[in-house]
């Protein structure tokens, strides 16, 4: 697999830069076309829809998208994507829309559910029924966990769950692992060398933080790459039922602590989030769990955050080498392009498979 330099590639302006070429070069074998084709017409609503091998192939394809002139092949020409956001978003909606627009697809954008029939009491089932006639794929965010199931009762199109209450946010986890695999490509090996494995720290409550939940589920599928998982939370059991069962089955040693200062110097990767969803309300991360340039971080540690942040992640870190979060957000367009091209059956239009 080769890819030429793409002069139009957009990078993050501050923090660590991630070079997709490292991921491409680390795995020179051809992309697994059959695995990518399996996504054709499928929906991505939770972590089960993105198993480890699929994540790796999508990240490799995303790296090719990032380093190549894919736009001139117009891979999404004639496809129409509906982005239906019933809850606020900066990155997810706009990176999906950027992904579609840069590949010459078309968009119908609902930036606020109040402009739909929901304001008059319309059901998500009926909205799903309408979407069937209007587009080819739906990306939905909604504050209610049960919204995905309700929409799918009427929807026949492929659906991407872009965050459903305290449920899941599976493509955020894909974006997160795209950043991690560009940062350290060996994490995708079947058996990474001991010095390549990471002590992963998660600051937050996976049970009620959907991005953290999807990230941890995906992390469990990369078990050989993780030497230890430490969750920093004020709760004794921060996982919730589904994740609790998966944690029980994993071979990764897992620790829960409320003492971030004690564990911080040993963490290679710190994944933070700021907000837990509790029904219609929000709970902010405990104020003890604040990172700044004064924090006792390992010199090589990287910090990830799905953003938006509050004061738990101080802006003083933005210009530091610990900042992986801007590169994480910047890569979202490419790996979401990879996903959309597969789901919409346009893999054959990509130059990598000619
Ligand atoms: N990461 C993420 O979900 O960000 P937005 O809320 O801005 O979409």
């Amino acid at each position: 697999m080769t890819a030429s330099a793409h002069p139009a590639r957009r990078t993050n302006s501050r923090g660590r830069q991630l070079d997709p070429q490292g991921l491409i070069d680390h795995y020179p074998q051809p992309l697994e076309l059959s695995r990518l084709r399996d996504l054709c017409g499928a929906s991505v609503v939770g972590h089960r829809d993105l198993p480890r091998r699929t994540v790796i192939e999508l990240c490799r394809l995303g790296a090719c998208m990032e380093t190549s002139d894919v736009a001139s092949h117009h891979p999404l020409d004639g496809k129409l994507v509906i982005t239906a956001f019933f809850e606020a978003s900066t990155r997810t909606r706009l990176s999906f829309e950027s992904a579609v627009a840069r590949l010459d697809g078309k968009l119908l954008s609902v930036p606020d559910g109040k402009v739909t029939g929901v304001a008059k009491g319309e059901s998500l089932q009926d909205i799903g029924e309408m979407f069937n006639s209007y587009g080819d794929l739906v990306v939905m965010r909604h504050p209610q966990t049960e919204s995905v199931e309700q929409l799918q009762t009427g929807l026949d199109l492929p659906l991407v769950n872009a965050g459903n209450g305290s449920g899941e946010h599976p493509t955020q986890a894909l974006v997160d692992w795209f950043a991690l695999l560009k940062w350290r490509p060996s994490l995708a090996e079947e058996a990474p060398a001991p010095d390549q494995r990471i002590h992963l720290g998660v600051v937050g409550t996976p049970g009620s933080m959907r991005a953290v939940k999807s990230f941890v589920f995906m992390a469990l599928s990369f078990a050989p790459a993780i030497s230890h998982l430490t969750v920093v939370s004020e709760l004794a059991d921060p996982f919730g039922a589904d994740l609790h069962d998966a944690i029980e089955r994993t071979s990764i040693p897992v620790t829960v602590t409320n003492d971030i200062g004690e564990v911080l110097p040993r963490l290679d990767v710190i994944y933070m989030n700021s907000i837990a969803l509790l029904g219609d309300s929000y709970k902010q991360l405990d104020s003890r769990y604040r990172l700044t340039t004064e924090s006792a971080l390992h010199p090589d540690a990287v910090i990830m955050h799905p953003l938006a942040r509050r004061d738990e992640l101080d802006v003083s870190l933005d210009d530091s080498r610990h900042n992986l979060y801007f590169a994480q957000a910047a890569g979202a367009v490419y790996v979401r392009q990879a996903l959309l091209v597969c789901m919409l059956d346009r893999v054959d239009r990509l130059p990598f498979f000619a």
Side-chain angles (χ1 to χ4, degrees), residues 88-92 141 169 172 306-307:
S89 165
T90 303
R91 279 146 294 275
T92 310
R141 169 170 293 182
H169 192 353
Q172 179 61 47
L307 305 174

Side-chain angles (χ1 to χ4, degrees), residues 132-182:
N132 291 334
S133 322
Y134 300 159
D136 300 305
L137 181 148
V138 177
V139 181
M140 182 181 77
R141 169 170 293 182
H142 197 286
Q144 301 299 331
T145 308
E146 56 278 13
S147 58
V148 167
E149 203 179 328
Q150 290 170 357
L151 187 80
Q152 284 188 308
T153 311
L155 185 73
D156 294 328
L157 303 177
L159 172 67
V160 174
N161 171 17
N164 61 324
S166 59
E168 285 220 45
H169 192 353
T171 67
Q172 179 61 47
L174 180 64
V175 167
D176 301 338
W177 277 90
F178 186 46
L180 275 174
L181 297 187
K182 285 189 287 182

Side-chain angles (χ1 to χ4, degrees), residues 85 87-95 141 162-163 169 172 175-176 210-211 271 273 305-308 328-329 336:
F85 277 62
E87 185 201 294
S89 165
T90 303
R91 279 146 294 275
T92 310
R93 182 170 68 85
L94 294 177
S95 64
R141 169 170 293 182
H169 192 353
Q172 179 61 47
V175 167
D176 301 338
R210 63 192 178 209
Y271 191 98
N273 198 355
H305 196 309
L307 305 174
Q328 179 188 354
R336 285 184 166 132

